[in-house]
Amino acid sequence: MFTGSMVAIITPFDSQGRFDEERYRQLIEFQLENGTDVIVPCGTTGESATLSYEEHDRVIQVCIEQVNKRVPVIAGTGSNATAEAIELSQHAKEMGADGVLLVSPYYNKPSQEGLYQHYKAIAEAVAIPQVLYNVPGRTGMNMEAKTTIRLAEFANIVAIKEASGNLTQASEILAQAGDKIDVLSGDDFLTLPLMACGAKGVISVTANIMPKQVKAMVAAVDKGDWVTARKLHLQLLEMHNTMFIESNPVPVKTAAALMGKCGEQVRLPLVAMQPANLEKLKAVLKKYELI
C-alpha cells in the first residue's frame, strides 16, 4: 500500500521555539518537487516526543492540507499508552491521514504478548491503514518477527517499519508473512539490502536533505537496475552515517538549517550539535555539495 521513498519529515521551529508552519509547508513542497512518494509527519525525526497534543494535531493537519492528496500522508500517532495511541490515531483519521505510524511502546518494556495486545487494540479501534514501527534503540525492546507475523493477520495492519538493524528478523517476516504485511526500511543505510530481500521502500531521515537521491536509489531497485542502486547506496552511505553522529534529528535538522531550509532549533532535552560534530557535518555537506 505504501511504497517507495518516504520521508520522516522534520518539524521546524521558529526562534521562540514555536511550530513554524510556513517553513514546514516549504519543506513539504521541497519533498514533493523532488519525487518523495509519502510524507510522514510526527515521527521521531519530527520530534513528536516534545510536541503538545495540540501541536501534534496541528502538524499533522498542516501536512495533510499542504500535501493536498498529491501523495499519501502517514501520520505518526504512536504512544506508550495504548489509549493515547488510539486517540491520536482517531484524530489523524478524522483529519484525513492516509495511514498512521505506530512506534512500539517505549519505556514500559511490554512482553511480546503485551505488544500484540497493544497493536490489536489500535487495529480494532481505528479503521485506518496502520504501519507498525520497531525501533529497539529508541524503545528499549525489540518486537520479534513472530509478533509481527501474528499482527499481519489484521487487514488494516499493512506494513512494518523495521529499524532493528536485524536483516534476519526482517527476512523472517517477509518469508512467513510477506503476502500479508509489507516491510519498510527504518534505517537509510540498510534500505538496499532490505529491498533486495523484498522490502517495499524506506521511511528515510536522509531524504529530508537529499530527497532526489534517496528516491533515485529506491527507483533503481524497483526497476531492477541493481548496478545503479548499488552505486547510489554506496554514494549515500557517508551521509546516512553522518545523520546519526548525534541523536536524530539533531544532525538532519542542523543540516537543513545550514542549507537554508529551516531554523536549527530543537527542543530540550535535545540541544544544538556539539562543535566538533558540527564541523564534521559541515565537511560532509560540502563534500556532497549541499552547502
Side-chain angles (χ1 to χ4, degrees):
M1 176 176 283
F2 302 116
T3 63
S5 179
M6 311 172 224
V7 64
I9 196 165
I10 56 178
T11 303
F13 303 124
D14 64 19
S15 58
Q16 278 73 51
R18 299 169 299 198
F19 172 43
D20 190 337
E21 290 191 16
E22 184 54 38
R23 286 285 197 174
Y24 192 56
R25 293 180 187 274
Q26 292 169 10
L27 289 171
I28 291 168
E29 287 304 314
F30 173 60
Q31 292 297 320
L32 297 178
E33 288 164 8
N34 284 279
T36 296
D37 297 299
V38 179
I39 310 293
V40 186
C42 292
T44 305
T45 312
E47 292 177 77
S48 58
T50 52
L51 297 175
S52 69
Y53 292 125
E54 293 77 13
E55 287 174 323
H56 196 116
D57 280 351
R58 183 58 184 162
V59 170
I60 292 170
Q61 183 179 36
V62 170
C63 185
I64 292 168
E65 288 175 0
Q66 191 64 31
V67 170
N68 194 25
K69 300 188 183 301
R70 287 176 284 177
V71 297
V73 172
I74 303 175
T77 57
S79 172
N80 64 337
T82 305
E84 183 177 303
I86 290 171
E87 183 178 357
L88 290 170
S89 299
Q90 189 62 44
H91 286 179
K93 179 188 175 184
E94 291 165 0
M95 287 186 282
D98 299 284
V100 293
L101 178 69
L102 299 162
V103 68
S104 295
Y106 39 88
Y107 190 78
N108 311 55
K109 298 188 79 170
S111 65
Q112 295 301 306
E113 182 60 26
L115 279 175
Y116 176 80
Q117 293 298 334
H118 169 80
Y119 283 119
K120 176 177 181 285
I122 303 169
E124 291 177 341
V126 188
I128 191 171
Q130 300 179 10
V131 180
L132 314 178
Y133 181 13
N134 183 37
V135 56
R138 290 275 186 173
T139 63
M141 43 73 63
N142 177 51
M143 183 158 66
E144 297 171 6
K146 64 182 181 182
T147 303
T148 303
I149 292 163
R150 286 179 72 195
L151 289 165
E153 297 300 323
F154 290 91
N156 58 332
I157 294 180
V158 299
I160 179 168
K161 178 183 177 183
E162 254 294 336
S164 64
N166 188 331
L167 287 171
T168 300
Q169 178 165 287
S171 296
E172 287 174 355
I173 296 166
L174 287 162
Q176 297 185 47
D179 58 334
K180 297 175 182 175
I181 190 169
D182 291 333
V183 171
L184 308 173
S185 175
D187 296 304
D188 277 291
F189 44 86
L190 288 180
T191 301
L192 180 63
L194 275 171
M195 290 191 75
C197 294
K200 299 295 174 124
V202 58
I203 299 181
S204 171
V205 173
T206 302
N208 277 284
I209 56 172
M210 300 184 75
K212 189 174 184 178
Q213 294 87 337
V214 174
K215 172 61 182 284
M217 195 211 70
V218 172
V221 174
D222 286 339
K223 293 174 187 173
D225 184 356
W226 293 100
V227 173
T228 299
R230 184 166 60 248
K231 178 182 177 183
L232 291 169
H233 165 73
L234 295 174
Q235 286 176 350
L236 286 167
L237 189 59
E238 185 176 10
M239 182 60 77
H240 295 331
N241 290 333
T242 302
M243 290 299 95
F244 291 89
I245 56 175
E246 287 190 14
S247 292
N248 179 46
V250 176
V252 72
K253 201 172 204 183
T254 306
L258 290 167
M259 293 168 63
K261 298 291 183 186
C262 65
E264 66 179 0
Q265 291 81 7
V266 291
R267 286 184 173 174
L268 286 169
L270 298 181
V271 295
M273 288 193 80
Q274 298 304 297
N277 284 331
L278 179 59
E279 292 309 308
K280 290 178 185 176
L281 175 64
K282 287 179 179 177
V284 173
L285 291 174
K286 287 176 183 176
K287 180 176 178 179
Y288 281 84
E289 300 182 345
L290 294 175
I291 60 172

